[in-house]
Amino acid sequence: RKGSVDLAINADFEPVTVESLKKAPGLKVEQTDGTNLAHLGLNLTDPILRDARVRQAIAYAIDREAIIRDLMLGQAKPANSVLPASHWAFEAGVTAYNYDLEKAKQLLEAAGRKADGDKPRFKLRLKTSTISATRKVAEMMQEQLRRAGIDLEVQSLESQKLNQDITDGNYQMYIRIMVGGNQSTDIFRYAYHSRSVPPNGQNRMRYSNPQVDKLLDESLTAPRERQQAIFSEVQKILSNDLPQIYLWYPATIAV
């Protein structure tokens, strides 16, 4: 506003600040579809989260549209894949977890996580950064999951501690934004191959699926047409296994 900055791109502004800057004299705000990916990482070695039905229930219990509308003021688009929609290998025909509270409750019952009056079915801890906007998202998820009978504790950590805990597997759930890496199909091997558990890659969820490993190994020498089929199949498997819950692509904002 003082004119001492010429340009700011994706500067962690609060959404309300972006809306304010759009009206500020002498400033121009450009907002376009982004490719970075906000997601929940789930620790698949955790006794509660190792059940795919529980992970699917969490996905159905999160009202992404409400968060994008009310907290992010429309500055994001829902995501159902690790790849951005503009990518050549993007697969649209995956399982989409649109908000469905009853479906979430049914899955939890099927997983043996029965409701008992007002008592929570179980408790989980979500680790997040200290960034205000991210913490507000976590708190809104906390309320949404409570409706499904899940008691979510939100723990905000400094960046270095959060990164270390995620790498070490010292967490149940985390919320992060994947920046840049998802614009290459290398992300599949880097994040989902069983040999990519830290320190060998970014499979921080400790995800292991022999079928996915086999497909990703084949992709290394396959021609482009076969690669497209491989990555399509991998995205469909991931959408059911849910080692990560894809949330949204934050908009790219330049002021």
Side-chain angles (χ1 to χ4, degrees), residues 4-78:
S4 57
V5 171
D6 296 309
L7 176 68
I9 300 176
N10 291 345
D12 285 331
F13 289 132
E14 293 267 0
V16 67
T17 302
V18 174
E19 294 304 311
S20 173
L21 293 174
K22 287 180 180 178
K23 302 169 186 173
L27 296 178
K28 184 176 182 180
V29 176
E30 295 281 1
Q31 179 176 324
T32 59
D33 290 347
T35 56
N36 294 338
L37 176 69
H39 65 283
L40 290 177
L42 310 173
N43 189 335
L44 273 56
T45 67
D46 182 83
I48 297 172
L49 295 172
R50 66 168 53 127
D51 190 324
R53 293 169 297 185
V54 171
R55 303 194 295 272
Q56 292 167 358
I58 292 170
Y60 278 120
I62 294 172
D63 190 343
R64 296 178 300 166
E65 295 282 1
I67 295 173
I68 292 171
R69 180 186 68 241
D70 299 337
L71 280 185
M72 306 186 71
L73 306 182
Q75 296 168 25
K77 290 200 171 177

Side-chain angles (χ1 to χ4, degrees), residues 105-106 108-110 112-122 147-150:
K105 291 178 179 178
Q106 291 169 12
L108 292 172
E109 291 286 325
R113 302 289 176 176
K114 305 292 184 182
D116 182 12
D118 292 333
K119 296 179 181 177
R121 300 173 192 266
F122 52 82
R147 299 172 196 157
I150 299 171

Side-chain angles (χ1 to χ4, degrees), residues 4-239:
S4 57
V5 171
D6 296 309
L7 176 68
I9 300 176
N10 291 345
D12 285 331
F13 289 132
E14 293 267 0
V16 67
T17 302
V18 174
E19 294 304 311
S20 173
L21 293 174
K22 287 180 180 178
K23 302 169 186 173
L27 296 178
K28 184 176 182 180
V29 176
E30 295 281 1
Q31 179 176 324
T32 59
D33 290 347
T35 56
N36 294 338
L37 176 69
H39 65 283
L40 290 177
L42 310 173
N43 189 335
L44 273 56
T45 67
D46 182 83
I48 297 172
L49 295 172
R50 66 168 53 127
D51 190 324
R53 293 169 297 185
V54 171
R55 303 194 295 272
Q56 292 167 358
I58 292 170
Y60 278 120
I62 294 172
D63 190 343
R64 296 178 300 166
E65 295 282 1
I67 295 173
I68 292 171
R69 180 186 68 241
D70 299 337
L71 280 185
M72 306 186 71
L73 306 182
Q75 296 168 25
K77 290 200 171 177
N80 293 315
S81 171
V82 67
L83 298 179
S86 57
H87 197 283
W88 63 265
F90 175 80
E91 172 54 61
V94 298
T95 303
Y97 293 87
N98 299 318
Y99 179 60
D100 190 334
L101 185 56
E102 290 309 310
K103 181 75 171 176
K105 291 178 179 178
Q106 291 169 12
L107 283 163
L108 292 172
E109 291 286 325
R113 302 289 176 176
K114 305 292 184 182
D116 182 12
D118 292 333
K119 296 179 181 177
R121 300 173 192 266
F122 52 82
K123 296 183 179 182
L124 290 172
R125 177 178 291 175
L126 172 65
K127 294 190 175 184
T128 181
S129 72
T130 56
I131 295 173
S132 174
T134 305
R135 182 166 177 85
K136 287 177 183 177
V137 167
E139 289 170 349
M140 192 163 179
M141 287 182 180
Q142 185 180 47
E143 172 58 24
Q144 291 175 349
L145 292 182
R146 184 192 62 76
R147 299 172 196 157
I150 299 171
D151 184 359
L152 185 68
E153 176 190 350
V154 177
Q155 183 180 18
S156 296
L157 300 171
E158 294 298 330
S159 179
Q160 186 174 355
K161 172 62 173 169
L162 179 61
N163 286 337
Q164 193 62 54
D165 281 359
I166 293 172
T167 299
D168 292 344
N170 179 26
Y171 75 94
Q172 287 180 297
M173 299 169 58
Y174 68 80
I175 182 169
R176 296 294 295 275
I177 294 180
M178 185 184 296
V179 179
N182 63 329
Q183 295 183 45
S184 166
T185 53
D186 290 344
I187 192 65
F188 290 113
R189 289 184 59 81
Y190 197 51
Y192 305 112
H193 199 289
S194 63
R195 291 197 297 270
S196 292
V197 171
N200 301 316
Q202 295 294 312
N203 184 354
R204 295 158 163 171
M205 301 75 61
R206 279 69 185 166
Y207 175 62
S208 179
N209 183 322
Q211 183 184 4
V212 170
D213 286 354
K214 184 177 179 182
L215 286 166
L216 294 180
D217 289 342
E218 181 190 348
S219 73
L220 291 174
T221 55
R224 173 60 68 91
E225 186 175 339
R226 174 56 185 154
Q227 283 184 335
Q228 190 147 18
I230 288 172
F231 296 134
S232 172
E233 181 65 19
V234 167
Q235 287 169 86
K236 290 175 181 177
I237 295 170
L238 291 173
S239 73

